[in-house]
Amino acid sequence: MTENDFLPGAYQEFPLSGKVTWRAPSNIALVKYWGKKPIQIPANPSVSFTLDTCATTTSVTFAKKEGNTDFSFDLLFEGKPKEDFKPKILTFFERILPYLPFLKAYHFDIDTSNSFPHSSGIASSASGMAALSLCLMDIEKQLDPTMDSVTFNRKASHLARLGSGSACRSIDGSLVEWGMHRNVPQSSDLYGTEYPFTVDSVFKSYQDTILLVHKGEKQVSSTVGHQLMKGHPYAENRFQQAIQNLDRLKPILASGDLDGFIQLVESEALTLHAMMMTSMPYFILMKPDTLEIINKIWRYRQETKVPVCFTLDAGANVHMLYPKNFKDNVQRFMDDALVMHCENGQYIQDRVGKGAVKIND
Ligand code: PMV
């Protein structure tokens, strides 16, 4: 598929008004996306677990308006007007207008809220852009009822990508691949697709405990982070490594090889941070507590043989990944040794999820 395949045909009747609501989850990458080309084309392929508990629910109420030369929308975040989100939505609308030409024909009231605590340091852009894209696609489906579900999801993912790259992996579940890879059928730089290979059942109920080490604003926005990969001395090797790691992951996921999984996932997380430590300017995004947690996970794994590992986003929080049947062990480990490293003792108990869902009001 090319971008042109997402341009709509002629719409049938325009509804005068309506309301749609979608809940889209966050995701956590196993092989990381870091570095991009315009517009939101990944420099390397990536794959993520779709999450379940961490999600954004967005309602869009739409009403046909006079004239169609300007965008018109209001935004509520957690029930309150949020002016500082509006420029991001406006840029998003401008970018996706060719694919959704009805956007200027309506006034939209966007009402959005997150399941995770306010300013928890958990990026809400992935789930937020995915939920908004799904609402807009739902409106388009009312204008073009013939659209099938594969096209619907692909286009929603394509739109979400234009809002925030990794958001394209927040439509489907439970493992989503994004970025062209010659050994991954259906893979595309334009949208995420469900991981097409066999995945052992252990990974379908994997747990993710997110330790909130630092809840403030991220020190480096992902926009700046991606830019740092331009002219980065190790960029080319890193992009090749990500391609190879996707190949390596295939037998690991198929066979339920937990040791192989741990090694690959932890190496990916540390490589992402190594890229930031070796860029110009350079950044250390881990906090002392991040390192304490990593060391404790390593010691605990060695002593107990519980197959728990960590991964990181571009920040200080730690995602602790493990099979469901070790949930009680990890909870005790959490209470005894890790909760003290979380800001205000906060953490989120999440797990692999099945993707976004429509909410019927
Ligand atoms: O989608 P962005 O532009 O916020 O980039 C996210 C990049 C990482 O979260 C660090 C890795 C990934 O693949 O999700």
Side-chain angles (χ1 to χ4, degrees):
M1 279 179 106
T2 71
E3 263 147 342
N4 287 342
D5 294 313
F6 295 117
L7 297 172
Y11 290 138
Q12 294 177 14
E13 247 167 84
F14 275 64
L16 283 180
S17 61
K19 184 181 178 190
V20 290
T21 304
W22 281 79
R23 180 184 196 271
S26 187
N27 69 73
I28 180 69
L30 305 174
V31 175
K32 310 284 180 184
Y33 146 64
W34 201 240
K36 65 179 169 185
K37 301 171 250 179
I39 304 170
Q40 309 278 81
I41 297 298
N44 66 261
S46 57
V47 66
S48 53
F49 274 146
T50 305
L51 295 179
D52 185 50
T53 312
C54 287
T56 300
T57 301
T58 300
S59 292
V60 175
T61 308
F62 56 102
K64 197 95 169 41
K65 65 174 177 66
E66 291 293 309
N68 56 3
T69 48
D70 291 311
F71 295 112
S72 170
F73 66 93
D74 288 310
L75 183 86
L76 291 182
F77 177 66
E78 321 257 311
K80 295 195 191 82
K82 186 89 177 154
E83 288 304 310
D84 43 336
F85 276 11
K86 284 182 107 175
K88 199 166 181 195
I89 306 275
L90 194 61
T91 308
F92 177 54
F93 275 11
E94 275 158 4
R95 257 187 209 171
I96 64 173
L97 182 64
Y99 306 105
L100 298 178
F102 65 85
L103 285 179
K104 287 187 171 172
Y106 288 96
H107 172 79
F108 300 103
D109 283 307
I110 305 168
D111 189 345
T112 189
S113 55
N114 292 333
S115 64
F116 36 93
H118 209 51
S119 55
S120 57
I122 298 284
S124 59
S125 56
S127 53
M129 283 299 173
L132 180 57
S133 299
L134 284 157
C135 287
L136 298 175
M137 279 310 295
D138 206 341
I139 300 171
E140 173 161 75
K141 191 156 163 59
Q142 295 181 27
L143 306 174
D144 176 10
T146 57
M147 193 185 311
D148 63 76
S149 62
V150 173
T151 312
F152 181 94
N153 275 15
R154 282 197 180 160
K155 185 162 172 180
S157 175
H158 173 254
L159 299 176
R161 182 197 106 237
L162 291 170
S164 171
S166 62
C168 76
R169 298 188 313 236
S170 274
I171 308 288
D172 290 310
S174 46
L175 268 155
V176 177
E177 198 274 353
W178 168 41
M180 199 123 74
H181 188 297
R182 66 190 168 95
N183 298 332
V184 182
Q186 309 285 324
S187 61
S188 168
D189 284 346
L190 302 179
Y191 47 83
T193 47
E194 262 186 55
Y195 189 70
F197 304 118
T198 307
V199 175
D200 187 273
S201 62
V202 70
F203 295 117
K204 297 200 173 143
S205 58
Y206 234 61
Q207 305 290 300
D208 180 4
T209 303
I210 308 164
L211 290 81
L212 305 177
V213 172
H214 182 70
K215 301 197 294 163
E217 279 277 301
K218 280 187 177 178
Q219 192 189 335
V220 185
S221 72
S222 57
T223 311
V224 171
H226 291 292
Q227 274 164 11
L228 292 173
M229 289 305 278
K230 291 215 181 83
H232 189 295
Y234 307 131
E236 238 354 277
N237 281 344
R238 161 59 197 154
F239 301 148
Q240 287 310 316
Q241 179 196 42
I243 294 168
Q244 284 161 14
N245 276 347
L246 269 158
D247 282 327
R248 288 182 51 214
L249 198 57
K250 189 178 164 185
I252 290 174
L253 292 176
S255 64
D257 170 8
L258 297 181
D259 290 339
F261 181 83
I262 288 168
Q263 196 187 51
L264 189 144
V265 165
E266 292 190 343
S267 161
E268 273 289 320
L270 293 179
T271 302
L272 170 70
H273 280 250
M275 288 300 110
M276 280 173 275
M277 290 163 82
T278 50
S279 60
M280 194 57 79
Y282 41 80
F283 296 95
I284 299 179
L285 301 186
M286 291 187 212
K287 299 280 178 205
D289 282 312
T290 314
L291 271 180
E292 290 279 355
I293 292 167
I294 291 173
N295 279 312
K296 284 188 175 180
I297 290 175
W298 282 345
R299 214 174 310 135
Y300 176 76
R301 189 167 74 218
Q302 203 175 16
E303 284 167 5
T304 63
K305 307 290 174 227
V306 171
V308 55
C309 70
F310 72 86
T311 189
L312 307 163
D313 264 338
N317 295 334
V318 180
H319 289 248
M320 193 159 58
L321 302 176
Y322 50 96
K324 191 174 175 201
N325 56 334
F326 290 102
K327 208 173 160 184
D328 293 343
N329 307 58
V330 176
Q331 184 64 56
R332 276 194 296 277
F333 172 42
M334 189 68 217
D335 294 341
D336 295 348
L338 299 181
V339 77
M340 65 190 70
H341 299 295
C342 300
E343 201 172 331
N344 304 326
Q346 270 190 299
Y347 62 94
I348 301 171
Q349 188 60 58
D350 210 335
R351 56 171 177 254
V352 169
K354 293 191 167 65
V357 286
K358 182 176 164 102
I359 310 285
N360 293 311
D361 295 294

